[in-house]
Amino acid sequence: MFHKPSSPGMVIIEVDCEFKRFNDLLGKHTWSKMLVNPDSDEEDKSSEVFYCNLETGRDVERKGWKRIWVEEHWFSGWRPDNT
């Protein structure tokens, strides 16, 4: 995952080239439709996912993005069903 200090609220993630469901990821995702039990402050929020034309992690870094390695403990206690 990459972040850019001058672009808060944006990240770039790497997806395995074997992944076949890009159309499921791309586009606007309204949180109230994705989350099972959204909090009141989450109901009107959305996320937008765009395709990145940069081919390698190094290309992303050259554009000023900083790599952050995703750590397993970030997901400790997290459940995909939002309970």
Side-chain angles (χ1 to χ4, degrees):
M1 179 169 71
F2 299 86
H3 81 98
K4 193 172 190 178
S6 63
S7 298
M10 296 178 76
V11 296
I12 294 177
I13 61 167
E14 293 177 280
V15 178
D16 190 302
C17 61
E18 298 297 316
F19 184 74
K20 302 295 182 201
R21 297 175 54 201
F22 280 106
N23 288 337
D24 293 342
L25 293 178
L26 299 175
K28 185 174 184 174
H29 303 279
T30 306
W31 292 14
S32 62
K33 293 179 182 175
M34 293 183 342
L35 301 175
V36 176
N37 296 310
D39 293 335
S40 60
D41 65 325
E42 297 172 328
E43 290 179 354
D44 295 328
K45 293 184 179 181
S46 63
S47 297
E48 295 180 71
V49 180
F50 302 94
Y51 185 81
C52 177
N53 292 329
L54 300 173
E55 293 187 12
T56 68
R58 185 65 191 125
D59 290 342
V60 175
E61 289 174 322
R62 284 189 191 114
K63 296 291 184 180
W65 293 81
K66 311 295 183 198
R67 182 184 293 272
I68 300 175
W69 294 103
V70 176
E71 299 182 29
E72 190 171 329
H73 75 269
W74 294 353
F75 300 96
S76 176
W78 178 82
R79 295 175 46 95
D81 61 3
N82 196 39
T83 58

